[in-house]
Amino acid sequence: GRNDLSGQSTVVELKKAITELPLEFFKKNPSAQLVIYYTGHSFEKKLQLGSAQEIAEAKDIAGWLDDLQAQTKLKKIVVIIDGSRSGSFVDDLAGEGRTIITSTDSVKTVNFESDGRQSFTQFFSQRVALGHSIAESFTLAEEVFVGLEAPFDLQPRLESDGNGTPNQETDLQIASQLF
């Protein structure tokens, strides 16, 4: 894909990027896929945005996604969060037509080694770029971190069936249809 939207990293701009800017496009193209990607500082159910260090909360992002889906009937949303405690977002963001991918569980911190060249995103996005499905890319990236010692023992999460419980077989089955 490509970066279709850009702007200041503020809560107002993030909300606008989710609820306003893509609205007309997704009304006309409800079978299209929206991908939201965040990497950076995150805390339990909170993203730190930009140099102003504004905080976007999981419950607010979930509400914005609800609004977008209600207005467009969009059924393919992929949210990728690569940051500490990113797994804490799964419960709030899970829903019908949404795939939530996080680099770790709700308690682990993330260390971006070698300027991010040794991060979950690096391994995940590399596989997506090669044409692997979301499920395959997730599984291959997850395997990189299995058995590593702290702080590199990430516990990536994938939730696709809307029940809020990640890493189940149904999650992988649904995500295997997404690219």
Side-chain angles (χ1 to χ4, degrees):
R2 67 182 211 274
N3 182 5
D4 294 329
L5 302 174
S6 63
Q8 295 295 317
S9 296
T10 65
V11 173
V12 169
E13 290 299 316
L14 178 60
K15 179 181 181 182
K16 184 177 173 183
I18 294 172
T19 61
E20 295 175 29
L21 295 178
L23 189 59
E24 291 307 314
F25 174 80
F26 288 119
K27 280 183 178 179
K28 294 176 186 169
N29 302 284
S31 63
Q33 178 173 286
L34 171 65
V35 177
I36 299 170
Y37 170 71
Y38 174 85
T39 185
H41 294 292
S42 55
F43 311 94
E44 187 168 338
K45 299 183 183 249
K46 296 177 180 169
L47 301 178
Q48 181 178 318
L49 304 176
S51 59
Q53 299 181 358
E54 290 188 30
I55 301 295
E57 297 196 28
K59 64 179 176 52
D60 294 329
I61 297 167
W64 302 335
L65 293 173
D66 290 342
D67 291 347
L68 178 64
Q69 285 181 288
Q71 294 180 56
T72 64
K73 309 301 181 217
L74 184 61
K75 295 291 184 199
K76 292 181 191 173
I77 297 175
V78 178
V79 178
I80 304 163
I81 303 174
D82 192 351
S84 298
R85 297 172 191 85
S86 54
S88 66
F89 285 80
V90 170
D91 286 345
D92 287 303
L93 299 184
E96 184 180 344
R98 298 180 193 172
T99 295
I100 313 303
I101 300 165
T102 66
S103 60
T104 192
D105 61 13
S106 60
V107 295
K108 293 198 182 301
T109 57
V110 171
N111 293 301
F112 295 102
E113 292 295 315
S114 302
D115 295 326
R117 290 187 305 271
Q118 294 178 3
S119 66
F120 173 80
T121 295
Q122 185 263 334
F123 294 104
F124 175 79
S125 62
Q126 194 174 62
R127 298 299 186 218
V128 170
L130 291 172
H132 293 273
S133 72
I134 296 287
E136 291 170 319
S137 300
F138 175 83
T139 300
L140 291 167
E142 180 184 39
E143 289 173 358
V144 170
F145 296 97
V146 172
L148 295 180
E149 294 184 20
F152 304 105
D153 59 335
L154 303 179
Q155 300 293 317
R157 301 289 187 242
L158 175 114
E159 208 297 317
S160 286
D161 61 11
N163 70 3
T165 304
N167 296 10
Q168 297 178 306
E169 188 60 33
T170 54
D171 297 315
L172 289 170
Q173 289 170 354
I174 293 166
S176 70
Q177 304 303 310
L178 301 171
F179 292 87

PDB file of all heavy atoms in Angstrom, residues 66-82:
ATOM      1  N   ASP A  66     -16.086   2.528  14.935  1.00  0.00           N
ATOM      2  CA  ASP A  66     -17.533   2.232  14.930  1.00  0.00           C
ATOM      3  C   ASP A  66     -18.274   3.226  14.044  1.00  0.00           C
ATOM      4  O   ASP A  66     -19.122   2.839  13.226  1.00  0.00           O
ATOM      5  CB  ASP A  66     -18.112   2.303  16.350  1.00  0.00           C
ATOM      6  CG  ASP A  66     -17.658   1.180  17.259  1.00  0.00           C
ATOM      7  OD1 ASP A  66     -17.167   0.150  16.755  1.00  0.00           O
ATOM      8  OD2 ASP A  66     -17.794   1.344  18.491  1.00  0.00           O
ATOM      9  N   ASP A  67     -17.964   4.507  14.211  1.00  0.00           N
ATOM     10  CA  ASP A  67     -18.618   5.559  13.420  1.00  0.00           C
ATOM     11  C   ASP A  67     -18.353   5.369  11.924  1.00  0.00           C
ATOM     12  O   ASP A  67     -19.275   5.455  11.112  1.00  0.00           O
ATOM     13  CB  ASP A  67     -18.127   6.946  13.849  1.00  0.00           C
ATOM     14  CG  ASP A  67     -18.589   7.338  15.243  1.00  0.00           C
ATOM     15  OD1 ASP A  67     -19.493   6.669  15.795  1.00  0.00           O
ATOM     16  OD2 ASP A  67     -18.028   8.309  15.789  1.00  0.00           O
ATOM     17  N   LEU A  68     -17.093   5.115  11.578  1.00  0.00           N
ATOM     18  CA  LEU A  68     -16.740   4.919  10.172  1.00  0.00           C
ATOM     19  C   LEU A  68     -17.482   3.722   9.588  1.00  0.00           C
ATOM     20  O   LEU A  68     -18.066   3.815   8.510  1.00  0.00           O
ATOM     21  CB  LEU A  68     -15.226   4.728  10.017  1.00  0.00           C
ATOM     22  CG  LEU A  68     -14.744   4.473   8.592  1.00  0.00           C
ATOM     23  CD1 LEU A  68     -15.023   5.685   7.698  1.00  0.00           C
ATOM     24  CD2 LEU A  68     -13.266   4.124   8.590  1.00  0.00           C
ATOM     25  N   GLN A  69     -17.518   2.612  10.312  1.00  0.00           N
ATOM     26  CA  GLN A  69     -18.195   1.430   9.803  1.00  0.00           C
ATOM     27  C   GLN A  69     -19.705   1.639   9.699  1.00  0.00           C
ATOM     28  O   GLN A  69     -20.327   1.158   8.758  1.00  0.00           O
ATOM     29  CB  GLN A  69     -17.885   0.217  10.681  1.00  0.00           C
ATOM     30  CG  GLN A  69     -16.479  -0.308  10.446  1.00  0.00           C
ATOM     31  CD  GLN A  69     -16.169  -1.524  11.277  1.00  0.00           C
ATOM     32  OE1 GLN A  69     -15.996  -1.433  12.486  1.00  0.00           O
ATOM     33  NE2 GLN A  69     -16.098  -2.675  10.614  1.00  0.00           N
ATOM     34  N   ALA A  70     -20.280   2.360  10.628  1.00  0.00           N
ATOM     35  CA  ALA A  70     -21.724   2.619  10.581  1.00  0.00           C
ATOM     36  C   ALA A  70     -22.096   3.465   9.364  1.00  0.00           C
ATOM     37  O   ALA A  70     -23.151   3.268   8.761  1.00  0.00           O
ATOM     38  CB  ALA A  70     -22.176   3.309  11.863  1.00  0.00           C
ATOM     39  N   GLN A  71     -21.221   4.389   8.999  1.00  0.00           N
ATOM     40  CA  GLN A  71     -21.508   5.282   7.882  1.00  0.00           C
ATOM     41  C   GLN A  71     -21.139   4.706   6.519  1.00  0.00           C
ATOM     42  O   GLN A  71     -21.616   5.190   5.498  1.00  0.00           O
ATOM     43  CB  GLN A  71     -20.771   6.605   8.078  1.00  0.00           C
ATOM     44  CG  GLN A  71     -21.271   7.401   9.267  1.00  0.00           C
ATOM     45  CD  GLN A  71     -20.497   8.693   9.409  1.00  0.00           C
ATOM     46  OE1 GLN A  71     -20.437   9.479   8.473  1.00  0.00           O
ATOM     47  NE2 GLN A  71     -19.909   8.911  10.569  1.00  0.00           N
ATOM     48  N   THR A  72     -20.296   3.666   6.489  1.00  0.00           N
ATOM     49  CA  THR A  72     -19.781   3.186   5.204  1.00  0.00           C
ATOM     50  C   THR A  72     -20.030   1.707   4.936  1.00  0.00           C
ATOM     51  O   THR A  72     -19.847   1.262   3.814  1.00  0.00           O
ATOM     52  CB  THR A  72     -18.267   3.403   5.121  1.00  0.00           C
ATOM     53  OG1 THR A  72     -17.636   2.602   6.141  1.00  0.00           O
ATOM     54  CG2 THR A  72     -17.895   4.857   5.268  1.00  0.00           C
ATOM     55  N   LYS A  73     -20.352   0.934   5.944  1.00  0.00           N
ATOM     56  CA  LYS A  73     -20.496  -0.534   5.835  1.00  0.00           C
ATOM     57  C   LYS A  73     -19.151  -1.204   5.534  1.00  0.00           C
ATOM     58  O   LYS A  73     -19.097  -2.323   5.029  1.00  0.00           O
ATOM     59  CB  LYS A  73     -21.531  -0.940   4.777  1.00  0.00           C
ATOM     60  CG  LYS A  73     -22.867  -0.243   4.922  1.00  0.00           C
ATOM     61  CD  LYS A  73     -23.492  -0.509   6.267  1.00  0.00           C
ATOM     62  CE  LYS A  73     -24.834   0.185   6.364  1.00  0.00           C
ATOM     63  NZ  LYS A  73     -25.114   0.722   7.660  1.00  0.00           N
ATOM     64  N   LEU A  74     -18.056  -0.535   5.857  1.00  0.00           N
ATOM     65  CA  LEU A  74     -16.710  -1.045   5.654  1.00  0.00           C
ATOM     66  C   LEU A  74     -16.521  -2.326   6.463  1.00  0.00           C
ATOM     67  O   LEU A  74     -16.826  -2.374   7.646  1.00  0.00           O
ATOM     68  CB  LEU A  74     -15.693   0.012   6.083  1.00  0.00           C
ATOM     69  CG  LEU A  74     -14.219  -0.275   5.881  1.00  0.00           C
ATOM     70  CD1 LEU A  74     -13.902  -0.472   4.405  1.00  0.00           C
ATOM     71  CD2 LEU A  74     -13.390   0.872   6.444  1.00  0.00           C
ATOM     72  N   LYS A  75     -16.001  -3.382   5.813  1.00  0.00           N
ATOM     73  CA  LYS A  75     -15.850  -4.687   6.457  1.00  0.00           C
ATOM     74  C   LYS A  75     -14.408  -5.159   6.549  1.00  0.00           C
ATOM     75  O   LYS A  75     -14.162  -6.267   7.009  1.00  0.00           O
ATOM     76  CB  LYS A  75     -16.660  -5.749   5.706  1.00  0.00           C
ATOM     77  CG  LYS A  75     -18.147  -5.525   5.744  1.00  0.00           C
ATOM     78  CD  LYS A  75     -18.677  -5.758   7.134  1.00  0.00           C
ATOM     79  CE  LYS A  75     -20.187  -5.639   7.152  1.00  0.00           C
ATOM     80  NZ  LYS A  75     -20.692  -5.411   8.478  1.00  0.00           N
ATOM     81  N   LYS A  76     -13.459  -4.343   6.083  1.00  0.00           N
ATOM     82  CA  LYS A  76     -12.052  -4.753   6.126  1.00  0.00           C
ATOM     83  C   LYS A  76     -11.209  -3.622   6.717  1.00  0.00           C
ATOM     84  O   LYS A  76     -10.801  -2.713   6.001  1.00  0.00           O
ATOM     85  CB  LYS A  76     -11.536  -5.090   4.732  1.00  0.00           C
ATOM     86  CG  LYS A  76     -12.129  -6.330   4.117  1.00  0.00           C
ATOM     87  CD  LYS A  76     -11.503  -6.552   2.754  1.00  0.00           C
ATOM     88  CE  LYS A  76     -12.228  -7.599   1.968  1.00  0.00           C
ATOM     89  NZ  LYS A  76     -11.707  -7.681   0.589  1.00  0.00           N
ATOM     90  N   ILE A  77     -10.996  -3.715   8.007  1.00  0.00           N
ATOM     91  CA  ILE A  77     -10.132  -2.759   8.693  1.00  0.00           C
ATOM     92  C   ILE A  77      -9.012  -3.551   9.348  1.00  0.00           C
ATOM     93  O   ILE A  77      -9.270  -4.519  10.063  1.00  0.00           O
ATOM     94  CB  ILE A  77     -10.895  -1.957   9.752  1.00  0.00           C
ATOM     95  CG1 ILE A  77     -11.984  -1.105   9.102  1.00  0.00           C
ATOM     96  CG2 ILE A  77      -9.938  -1.082  10.566  1.00  0.00           C
ATOM     97  CD1 ILE A  77     -12.860  -0.364  10.085  1.00  0.00           C
ATOM     98  N   VAL A  78      -7.782  -3.144   9.094  1.00  0.00           N
ATOM     99  CA  VAL A  78      -6.620  -3.757   9.724  1.00  0.00           C
ATOM    100  C   VAL A  78      -5.928  -2.673  10.539  1.00  0.00           C
ATOM    101  O   VAL A  78      -5.560  -1.628  10.003  1.00  0.00           O
ATOM    102  CB  VAL A  78      -5.645  -4.350   8.686  1.00  0.00           C
ATOM    103  CG1 VAL A  78      -4.419  -4.943   9.372  1.00  0.00           C
ATOM    104  CG2 VAL A  78      -6.343  -5.402   7.825  1.00  0.00           C
ATOM    105  N   VAL A  79      -5.777  -2.917  11.833  1.00  0.00           N
ATOM    106  CA  VAL A  79      -5.082  -1.992  12.726  1.00  0.00           C
ATOM    107  C   VAL A  79      -3.828  -2.695  13.218  1.00  0.00           C
ATOM    108  O   VAL A  79      -3.902  -3.785  13.788  1.00  0.00           O
ATOM    109  CB  VAL A  79      -5.961  -1.579  13.924  1.00  0.00           C
ATOM    110  CG1 VAL A  79      -5.194  -0.651  14.861  1.00  0.00           C
ATOM    111  CG2 VAL A  79      -7.256  -0.927  13.457  1.00  0.00           C
ATOM    112  N   ILE A  80      -2.682  -2.069  12.992  1.00  0.00           N
ATOM    113  CA  ILE A  80      -1.394  -2.624  13.410  1.00  0.00           C
ATOM    114  C   ILE A  80      -0.782  -1.640  14.403  1.00  0.00           C
ATOM    115  O   ILE A  80      -0.597  -0.461  14.072  1.00  0.00           O
ATOM    116  CB  ILE A  80      -0.452  -2.816  12.216  1.00  0.00           C
ATOM    117  CG1 ILE A  80      -1.121  -3.694  11.154  1.00  0.00           C
ATOM    118  CG2 ILE A  80       0.891  -3.394  12.667  1.00  0.00           C
ATOM    119  CD1 ILE A  80      -0.470  -3.615   9.790  1.00  0.00           C
ATOM    120  N   ILE A  81      -0.475  -2.138  15.595  1.00  0.00           N
ATOM    121  CA  ILE A  81       0.144  -1.294  16.623  1.00  0.00           C
ATOM    122  C   ILE A  81       1.428  -1.972  17.073  1.00  0.00           C
ATOM    123  O   ILE A  81       1.406  -3.074  17.610  1.00  0.00           O
ATOM    124  CB  ILE A  81      -0.796  -1.066  17.826  1.00  0.00           C
ATOM    125  CG1 ILE A  81      -2.116  -0.439  17.370  1.00  0.00           C
ATOM    126  CG2 ILE A  81      -0.097  -0.193  18.873  1.00  0.00           C
ATOM    127  CD1 ILE A  81      -3.154  -0.324  18.467  1.00  0.00           C
ATOM    128  N   ASP A  82       2.542  -1.305  16.847  1.00  0.00           N
ATOM    129  CA  ASP A  82       3.844  -1.807  17.261  1.00  0.00           C
ATOM    130  C   ASP A  82       4.365  -0.877  18.346  1.00  0.00           C
ATOM    131  O   ASP A  82       4.907   0.190  18.064  1.00  0.00           O
ATOM    132  CB  ASP A  82       4.800  -1.851  16.063  1.00  0.00           C
ATOM    133  CG  ASP A  82       6.071  -2.636  16.351  1.00  0.00           C
ATOM    134  OD1 ASP A  82       6.305  -3.008  17.523  1.00  0.00           O
ATOM    135  OD2 ASP A  82       6.826  -2.891  15.397  1.00  0.00           O
TER     136      ASP A  82
END
